[in-house]
Amino acid sequence: MGLGSYWGEVLDVLEKIIPVYDKVNSLISLGRDSEFRQRGIKGRVNPGDHILDAGSGFGNMSKTASKICDGNVNITLYDPLRPMLKNTSRLFSTTPVLTCGVFEHIPFRDENFDAVLTGYSLRDAINLRIAISEIHRVLKKNGRFVIVDLGKPDNPVVRAGVSFYLRAVLPILAVIGGGRLGLKFATLYGTYKLWPQNKKLESLLLERFSRVEFEKGMLGGAIMVAAYK
């Protein structure tokens, strides 16, 4: 479960859409992406925590965590795209620790982080089960794994509605927000097709984590998840 060989194509698209990435993401979520990040993180990241922002992009998740904790967090940004990491100055006046790599081979020792955050990025894992295992490994005892992402509703009617939105409506919004570059956001639907339904994702997390809190928004089309080690 995961993108497998499709990952290379997705990575290429992500690199090309860097100039319009944040603007289009906000449009796609109908302006609620920041709200969902706050709902996912609040109460799960504490002052003094050492955070790994995995699949970080520019660092929106850890920036949100820093605001919630009044700047009292230790941030490491981790992303497979160096150009994404080079754009972190958009959000941070002082550059956090930057590391390049994939979910499946996280280059940190066991039990190193209090929290691992993934914002709209876990869906891009090459192998989802291995990614979850690696994130579990680098978390300290009682550590928290926070996921904010698209959800794949269990109800087939609602799931069909979300799929239609991503396949037919999203490309229009992406072009409005990003011009010709916005056309490349159509790749997002391919990642969604390979993403597990909400209940299946919860089951995968429970294979490794002791407890999972699963919150939904937009009829299950958005998810805010916390998994506890």
Side-chain angles (χ1 to χ4, degrees):
M1 199 170 297
L3 296 188
S5 59
Y6 188 50
W7 182 79
E9 182 179 340
V10 171
L11 203 68
D12 182 58
V13 168
L14 286 171
E15 185 167 0
K16 288 174 179 173
I17 62 177
I18 285 173
V20 298
Y21 183 78
D22 276 348
K23 184 178 181 181
V24 176
N25 271 346
S26 183
L27 276 174
I28 288 169
S29 66
L30 305 179
R32 300 185 66 186
D33 54 322
S34 294
E35 173 200 335
F36 293 145
R37 289 189 196 100
Q38 290 177 35
R39 284 170 60 180
I41 292 168
K42 195 169 184 179
R44 279 90 180 233
V45 175
N46 304 310
D49 276 355
H50 187 189
I51 296 169
L52 178 66
D53 190 344
S56 62
F58 309 138
N60 286 297
M61 286 288 281
S62 48
K63 183 66 174 180
T64 301
S66 182
K67 286 180 179 177
I68 289 171
C69 296
D70 295 322
N72 185 18
V73 285
N74 183 356
I75 298 168
T76 298
L77 300 184
Y78 181 63
D79 196 90
L81 284 171
R82 292 186 188 278
M84 280 282 192
L85 294 171
K86 288 179 180 178
N87 277 270
T88 55
S89 58
R90 294 185 184 190
L91 299 179
F92 299 93
S93 55
T94 302
T95 304
V97 175
L98 306 178
T99 309
C100 192
V102 297
F103 288 119
E104 294 76 10
H105 302 283
I106 299 176
F108 296 103
R109 60 180 173 78
D110 296 357
E111 300 186 2
N112 195 45
F113 298 96
D114 298 291
V116 175
L117 314 179
T118 60
Y120 304 99
S121 61
L122 185 64
R123 192 179 65 257
D124 297 335
I126 301 167
N127 184 307
L128 187 55
R129 185 172 267 110
I130 293 174
I132 291 170
S133 176
E134 274 289 271
I135 288 166
H136 180 272
R137 178 184 65 78
V138 300
L139 275 171
K140 296 177 183 177
K141 185 178 180 181
N142 300 316
R144 289 83 61 201
F145 175 25
V146 177
I147 304 163
V148 178
D149 216 313
L150 297 178
K152 198 167 192 178
D154 301 297
N155 182 296
V157 176
V158 180
R159 186 167 65 250
V162 173
S163 294
F164 174 78
Y165 171 78
L166 292 173
R167 188 176 67 253
V169 180
L170 180 149
I172 297 170
L173 293 176
V175 170
I176 291 170
R180 291 178 63 85
L181 280 178
L183 291 169
K184 296 187 177 296
F185 274 79
T187 307
L188 183 66
Y189 182 63
T191 68
Y192 183 77
K193 287 196 296 183
L194 295 167
W195 187 229
Q197 292 178 27
N198 292 339
K199 276 291 182 186
K200 177 60 178 176
L201 177 61
E202 186 174 7
S203 296
L204 282 172
L205 291 167
L206 285 169
E207 288 178 8
R208 289 285 178 177
F209 291 87
S210 63
R211 178 166 61 94
V212 174
E213 296 174 350
F214 210 105
E215 186 181 355
K216 301 168 188 174
M218 300 178 77
L219 300 176
I223 55 171
M224 294 128 277
V225 183
Y228 295 81
K229 186 169 179 178

